[in-house]
Amino acid sequence: MNPMAKPMKTTEALDLLHQGQKVEDVVLLDFETQKLGFRDALLLSENGFVVPAGNIVYQDLDIQYDPDFDDTTWKGEYGKLSDFLASNQ
């Protein structure tokens, strides 16, 4: 752990992020046991936290059907979108 890192609860970090503030050099104290909605998990991911899939909870009814995505057979390896876009320029 970074000795300069500030310990913080996940809910505190999310409150700051929802207010538009940055959370840098933060260690989430309860992150291993915290269950998150997919929007909060995405917000944390966008701000540098790796959210384990097992920590994300959602209701199927909250997920909108998208025929372009849901009716597609996905093949191949998945990588970073930025790498894909850079290779197609």
Side-chain angles (χ1 to χ4, degrees):
M1 181 167 105
N2 179 351
M4 299 302 289
K6 178 181 177 183
M8 184 179 293
K9 289 185 178 182
T10 302
T11 54
E12 294 172 312
L14 285 168
D15 286 343
L16 291 173
L17 291 170
H18 284 294
Q19 294 171 21
Q21 297 182 33
K22 293 188 181 272
V23 289
E24 296 175 351
D25 294 323
V26 168
V27 173
L28 300 177
L29 297 174
D30 58 350
F31 196 51
E32 294 297 320
T33 59
Q34 189 70 29
K35 296 295 183 185
L36 303 164
F38 66 93
R39 287 186 178 100
D40 285 340
L42 182 60
L43 183 60
L44 287 171
S45 292
E46 289 172 341
N47 285 278
F49 296 95
V50 178
V51 180
N55 290 45
I56 304 170
V57 294
Y58 65 92
Q59 299 292 323
D60 285 337
L61 295 174
D62 292 338
I63 309 299
Q64 183 174 346
Y65 172 74
D66 181 352
D68 291 336
F69 185 85
D70 295 326
D71 295 339
T72 300
T73 302
W74 298 95
K75 300 176 185 175
E77 296 291 319
Y78 305 105
K80 292 182 180 178
L81 179 58
S82 58
D83 293 342
F84 173 76
L85 294 173
S87 68
N88 289 323
Q89 289 184 359

